[in-house]
Amino acid sequence: MNAKLSAGLLVTTLLVTGCGGGGQTAATTTPKVGLITKTETNPFFVKMKEGAQKSAQANGMELMSAAGKFDGDNASQITAIENMVAAGVKGILITPSDTKAIVPAIKKARDAGVLVIALDTPTQPQDATDALFATDNLKAGELIGQYAKAAMAGKPAKIATLDLAPGITVGQLRHDGFLKGFGVQEGDPSVVCSQDTRGDQAKGQTAMENCLQKAPDINVVYTINEPAALGAYTALKAKGRDKDVLIVSVDGGCTGTKAVQSGQIAATSQQYPLKMAEDGVKAVAAFAKNGQKTSGYVDTGVTLITDKSVTGVEAKDTAFGLANCWG
């Protein structure tokens, strides 16, 4: 889950080429699956597309892929759905940019007989898609909250939360999970500052600077993702606070995992975008072959990554994290 910028509107990738029997092309005989991500350039979605390509090839399917110009570009995602339905896809995998506004377009696709699976980000309502393959974002937040609580070892906490943006499900779930794991409620006085970052490093730095002005004694920082965490670290280092503030985050990208290894981030919850896409394509392949429809929520896993383990919170070290990271 993370802030994502794209260089292009809609990109279609044809993975299976050549001619079939009787002069027919593979495009007319090979079942199609669509992948629509929020953006093309974010490493999370690059890895997701890699997983979809690999799985499409393994399952004898043709992959069509598309993305928005920026995170939040609902119009491009709607166009992509329409194009893919017109092209005869059996299923569409989508990471919705606007979890509510995309629902009517998804309904039209499902009404046309297309299997629609959300990856990473659930729609609102969640059952607007046939299934959701995603990290348990509440658990991801809860793990780093538990870690932060244990790492503080009873020391009074002054918490800053560097969040995503209002109304985005992934961000809210991670935020709520962190508070749950730390053992505090929304509005608790120990949360001294909350700022939105859109998951962007520069915005994360600005947000941390604002929080330090408001509450110079902050000693715990929760961030929606690792770019925001690195922005926070930059701001803290400029104030000479980088050694005495605990930063925890979510995502498990390679850059973020290296930041855990170097001590800039204390711990992160790692998720697995390649697995989301691989499993999603497999589900569409099964549907194309025999009409078998997957449904409900499929948890694709989350692991706490840290080199400074604490009692009572299960974790893997950065060697494991680097072997399984993305980006």
Side-chain angles (χ1 to χ4, degrees):
M1 188 228 30
N2 303 252
K4 303 125 184 171
L5 297 175
S6 173
L9 255 172
L10 301 174
V11 179
T12 301
T13 303
L14 184 63
L15 293 180
V16 182
T17 58
C19 294
Q24 290 181 310
T25 65
T28 62
T29 61
T30 305
K32 299 182 181 73
V33 56
L35 172 69
I36 305 171
T37 54
K38 295 177 184 179
T39 70
E40 280 275 311
T41 56
N42 183 279
F44 186 87
F45 296 128
V46 171
K47 181 59 69 171
M48 188 173 279
K49 185 174 176 180
E50 179 186 320
Q53 288 172 333
K54 178 180 177 183
S55 191
Q57 289 172 328
N59 287 280
M61 300 198 77
E62 174 188 321
L63 179 69
M64 299 178 68
S65 67
K69 293 179 289 186
F70 53 87
D71 193 342
D73 182 9
N74 185 62
S76 290
Q77 290 199 323
I78 290 174
T79 301
I81 290 173
E82 293 170 347
N83 290 343
M84 289 177 181
V85 172
V89 295
K90 294 295 185 180
I92 293 173
L93 314 175
I94 184 168
T95 59
S97 281
D98 188 318
T99 55
K100 291 181 179 178
I102 198 67
V103 168
I106 289 174
K107 184 179 186 303
K108 288 180 182 178
R110 293 178 73 191
D111 289 347
V114 176
L115 181 72
V116 181
I117 298 173
L119 302 182
D120 180 54
T121 305
T123 52
Q124 296 185 66
Q126 185 173 312
D127 63 5
T129 55
D130 290 286
L132 168 67
F133 287 31
T135 306
D136 183 339
N137 281 291
L138 187 72
K139 181 180 179 181
E142 193 171 353
L143 282 171
I144 57 170
Q146 291 170 344
Y147 176 88
K149 181 69 173 180
M152 290 299 287
K155 182 180 178 181
K158 299 291 185 181
I159 302 168
T161 69
L162 303 193
D163 299 306
L164 189 56
I168 300 180
T169 310
V170 168
Q172 192 63 52
L173 287 169
R174 292 181 185 183
H175 173 97
D176 292 348
F178 170 79
L179 294 182
K180 180 181 177 183
F182 203 89
V184 296
Q185 302 289 325
E186 191 71 57
D188 190 280
S190 65
V191 181
V192 295
C193 185
S194 293
Q195 296 266 309
D196 292 331
T197 68
R198 296 258 170 203
D200 177 78
Q201 185 164 339
K203 289 181 174 63
Q205 181 176 341
T206 300
M208 191 72 250
E209 290 166 352
N210 292 340
C211 283
L212 287 170
Q213 288 182 350
K214 180 180 179 181
D217 57 347
I218 286 167
N219 55 14
V220 177
V221 179
Y222 153 81
T223 66
I224 177 65
N225 66 1
E226 292 145 3
L230 290 169
Y233 176 82
T234 300
L236 289 163
K237 187 173 183 179
K239 294 288 187 181
R241 298 290 317 283
D242 52 303
K243 302 298 185 185
D244 63 342
V245 177
L246 183 78
I247 302 175
V248 293
S249 195
V250 178
D251 263 356
C254 295
T255 298
T257 304
K258 288 174 184 175
V260 174
Q261 187 179 50
S262 69
Q264 294 170 299
I265 302 171
T268 194
S269 287
Q270 186 171 68
Q271 54 179 342
Y272 304 103
L274 187 144
K275 180 174 174 57
M276 293 177 199
E278 280 187 337
D279 290 354
V281 171
K282 286 179 187 176
V284 175
F287 175 65
K289 184 177 181 180
N290 56 31
Q292 175 186 335
K293 270 194 174 184
T294 190
S295 62
Y297 168 60
V298 177
D299 184 354
T300 52
V302 63
T303 306
L304 184 73
I305 303 297
T306 184
D307 285 332
K308 299 176 181 177
S309 59
V310 295
T311 302
V313 185
E314 185 176 348
K316 298 284 190 180
D317 63 15
T318 55
F320 175 92
L322 291 170
N324 291 277
C325 66
W326 41 268

